[in-house]
Amino acid sequence: MLPDDLRTALDRALARYAPHDLAAVVARLTESYRTETGRTHLHSQADIAAYAAYRMPATYAAAVTAMGRAAAAAPGFAPASHLDVGGGTGAALWAAGATWPSLTKVTVIEHDPHIIDLGKRLARSSPALSGATWRQASVHPGLDRPAADLVTMSYALGELPERDRQDVVRWLAADATMVIVIEPGTPTGYATIAQARQALAEYGMHIAAPCPHDGPCPILPGRDWCHFSVRLPRSALHRRVKLGTLGFEDEKFSYVAATATPAPRAAARVLRHPAKRKGLVSLRLCTGEDGLRDVLVSKRQGELYRRARDTEWGDGWPPED
Ligand SMILES: C[S@@+](CC[C@H](N)C(=O)[O-])C[C@H]1O[C@@H](n2cnc3c(N)ncnc32)[C@H](O)[C@@H]1O
């Protein structure tokens, strides 16, 4: 799923690390990402290399999927400028470049100079990203920032202290045409997104995706969490550092995209893999009018049934023509 130039640049940057050394770091980082939020996890050059090897393909896949859904919700949006906050090695830059070729001015804010170093090295292989400005700064609500049409924060808001997150989200929204925040698809990641969504709505932005409405989220905390999934192929290196044998993995993510002006929205969003049985498709929906609903589409419904069979978790419902 990674763009070819990024995959090649990544392989080249990681060639000096032995896969079994990276694998040991990956095991430690996986545990630390799983158990601890509100702090940064990458502390050495080996941590950064391991992150790029095993997480960047997955965060790229999540970002490009979330951005694709945001772009579908705002078809006229053709941003010229992008600010990516907590940009790490640049997964969201690459994803935004693949989604909106109109981007010409790209700025990254990242506090770790070694991470910036690797991100810059990777970006050099892309004509569209080689001119990006990488700014070393620690994000806080008072930090000066360039104006940008598109502002993103991918897998980074949850690393900030909880007390700062609402203010940082308002800071992201200032003068932006679209804001996208992405977090891991865990109950904790979803809770971070739910807070971000609330801050964006209170700021006066309109929720473009995934929600079909701007009102309170109908999902009860502790009972369920709103998340989506993307399947990505694992490269040979990825398989070695992850000690995995499968040729793919499923990345679960939660996200919110908000726009300064209202965008046309799907009437509902599919919240689970549709259950497909002979002659029946069952859809778990978040609807604009009735909260959460389970809908059965039967073969007798002809064209709607055929469309339901092609519908995937995360799609809008009913499908656009
Ligand atoms: C999990 S990584 C995500 C990187 C990238 N956005 C992605 O999607 O792959 C989180 C990044 O946020 C950065 N970060 C965490 N707290 C930060 C802060 N207060 N200011 C700037 N960057 C921060 C970390 O250094 C790290 O690069």
Side-chain angles (χ1 to χ4, degrees):
M1 195 169 206
L2 286 182
D4 286 345
D5 37 6
L6 174 55
R7 204 181 44 237
T8 309
L10 207 44
D11 284 348
R12 208 178 310 125
L14 299 175
R16 68 193 178 94
Y17 295 94
H20 63 266
D21 290 343
L22 288 181
V25 182
V26 164
R28 178 168 49 72
L29 286 179
T30 304
E31 184 58 15
S32 113
Y33 276 114
R34 198 177 61 75
T35 53
E36 296 172 60
T37 58
R39 71 170 191 85
T40 55
H41 301 264
L42 309 179
H43 303 293
S44 68
Q45 306 248 20
D47 288 359
I48 295 163
Y51 180 87
Y54 92 103
R55 286 303 295 154
M56 196 177 175
T59 59
Y60 172 85
V64 86
T65 306
M67 288 176 187
R69 302 232 168 93
F77 179 55
S81 49
H82 177 198
L83 171 66
D84 186 39
V85 176
T89 49
L93 300 192
W94 288 84
T99 309
W100 290 286
S102 54
L103 286 168
T104 52
K105 186 169 178 277
V106 176
T107 309
V108 187
I109 297 179
E110 164 58 54
H111 66 178
D112 185 303
H114 301 297
I115 296 178
I116 290 180
D117 212 45
L118 179 54
K120 259 189 191 170
R121 249 189 301 148
L122 298 174
R124 248 181 248 137
S125 67
S126 157
L129 300 177
S130 56
T133 303
W134 293 76
R135 181 161 158 220
Q136 189 197 337
S138 188
V139 172
H140 60 85
L143 183 68
D144 65 297
R145 43 148 284 203
D149 303 328
L150 172 67
V151 178
T152 58
M153 197 159 185
S154 163
Y155 289 80
L157 185 61
E159 293 198 4
L160 302 187
E162 202 161 349
R163 62 177 181 278
D164 290 345
R165 292 183 199 160
Q166 300 276 73
D167 288 338
V168 166
V169 172
R170 283 186 275 274
W171 171 86
L172 298 177
D175 294 326
T177 308
M178 180 183 282
V179 175
I180 302 178
V181 184
I182 307 166
E183 283 291 308
T186 57
T188 306
Y190 162 66
T192 305
I193 290 295
Q195 280 178 357
R197 178 182 181 276
Q198 190 185 338
L200 290 166
E202 284 169 4
Y203 191 80
M205 293 195 92
H206 304 269
I207 308 304
C211 322
H213 59 90
D214 289 338
C217 177
I219 294 178
L220 296 176
R223 301 271 301 271
D224 199 355
W225 67 102
C226 179
H227 66 292
F228 302 93
S229 181
V230 56
R231 178 157 291 184
L232 63 140
R234 284 177 170 164
S235 67
L237 175 67
H238 197 165
R239 283 208 292 275
R240 284 205 296 277
V241 300
K242 210 62 195 282
L243 302 177
T245 49
L246 286 178
F248 66 85
E249 68 183 35
D250 292 321
E251 174 66 11
K252 306 278 177 23
F253 62 98
S254 295
Y255 76 102
V256 61
T259 49
T261 51
R265 284 190 279 235
R269 179 79 53 184
V270 178
L271 290 189
R272 291 273 177 280
H273 278 305
K276 296 174 188 171
R277 283 171 280 141
K278 210 169 163 357
L280 272 184
V281 179
S282 162
L283 300 170
R284 174 80 165 154
L285 299 177
C286 181
T287 70
E289 304 285 318
D290 300 327
L292 302 177
R293 280 182 57 206
D294 290 302
V295 167
L296 278 181
V297 185
S298 87
K299 202 168 185 173
R300 283 200 301 276
Q301 288 169 280
E303 181 55 21
L304 195 66
Y305 170 74
R306 273 187 291 284
R307 286 165 167 237
R309 288 201 64 88
D310 291 341
T311 291
E312 293 181 6
W313 181 5
D315 285 346
W317 180 262
E320 297 284 310
D321 283 326

